[in-house]
């Protein structure tokens, strides 16, 4: 399971692999000049990283179009996948096939805990993921912080 939190220019993730294993697993990848955090269906995430041709300048419209295109063609269920696209100036949250822009976003099973922490400490992304790791039994550290 997962917790991924981002704001413009910064992405923080936990590192537990999906499920209850104790393996350290990356939950993000870099494409062009931005980061994509991932949570959800493993097959869809593989397609997301290795097959999709990501736009150089992601927008709500271009990312939604990309997800719909691969949802129809790849036999992957993007309704069971969440993505967090972090550029230098915006954050796009992809909840299934729905995409919206926000200043700070969180995805994964630990997202409610992370968002609660961010309500009290808006600049503490690492603390938000740490809070999710503390309260959600399926999230675990160490916390990774990736900056653009």
């Amino acid at each position: 399971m997962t917790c991924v939190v981002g704001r413009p220019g910064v992405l923080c993730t936990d590192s537990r692999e999906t499920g209850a294993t104790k393996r350290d697993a990356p939950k993000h990848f870099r494409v062009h000049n931005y980061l994509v955090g991932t949570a959800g269906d493993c097959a869809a995430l593989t397609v997301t990283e290795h097959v999709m041709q990501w736009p150089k300048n992601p927008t709500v419209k271009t990312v939604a179009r990309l997800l719909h295109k691969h949802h129809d063609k790849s036999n992957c269920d993007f309704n069971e996948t969440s993505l967090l696209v972090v550029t230098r100036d915006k954050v796009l949250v992809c909840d299934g096939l729905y995409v919206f822009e926000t200043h700070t976003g969180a995805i994964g099973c630990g997202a409610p805990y992370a968002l609660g922490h961010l309500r009290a400490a808006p600049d503490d992304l690492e603390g938000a993921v740490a809070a999710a790791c503390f309260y959600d039994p399926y999230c675990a550290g160490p916390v990774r912080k990736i900056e653009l």
Side-chain angles (χ1 to χ4, degrees):
M1 304 295 190
T2 301
C3 183
V4 179
V5 179
R7 71 167 180 254
V10 183
L11 185 76
C12 287
T13 74
D14 75 322
S15 39
R16 176 171 281 175
E17 187 175 87
T18 299
T21 66
K22 304 243 183 212
R23 289 177 40 195
D24 188 19
K27 310 246 175 128
H28 74 284
F29 60 92
R30 188 178 296 265
V31 61
H32 301 298
N33 58 345
Y34 56 94
L35 300 166
V36 179
T38 61
D41 178 82
C42 290
L45 297 179
T46 299
V47 168
T48 300
E49 182 174 2
H50 299 289
V51 176
M52 289 183 171
Q53 293 182 324
W54 285 86
K56 289 194 186 240
N57 182 24
T59 64
V60 168
K61 193 173 191 175
T62 60
V63 172
R65 198 175 9 213
L66 185 67
L67 291 174
H68 282 274
K69 174 184 173 185
H70 285 279
H71 178 72
D72 295 338
K73 289 185 176 180
S74 65
N75 294 324
C76 291
D77 189 359
F78 282 98
N79 289 312
E80 299 296 324
T81 304
S82 296
L83 304 172
L84 200 63
V85 178
V86 174
T87 71
R88 293 193 187 284
D89 60 348
K90 66 186 164 200
V91 174
L92 302 177
V93 176
C94 311
D95 187 13
L97 294 171
Y98 177 68
V99 181
F100 63 93
E101 186 173 337
T102 185
H103 183 268
T104 303
I107 60 171
C109 63
Y113 302 108
L115 290 171
H117 180 86
L118 288 171
R119 182 93 168 140
D123 295 328
D124 187 15
L125 296 184
E126 290 172 281
V129 175
C133 292
F134 182 80
Y135 289 108
D136 189 309
Y138 299 106
C139 296
V143 175
R144 289 193 172 110
K145 181 178 182 181
I146 307 95
E147 297 185 66
L148 289 174

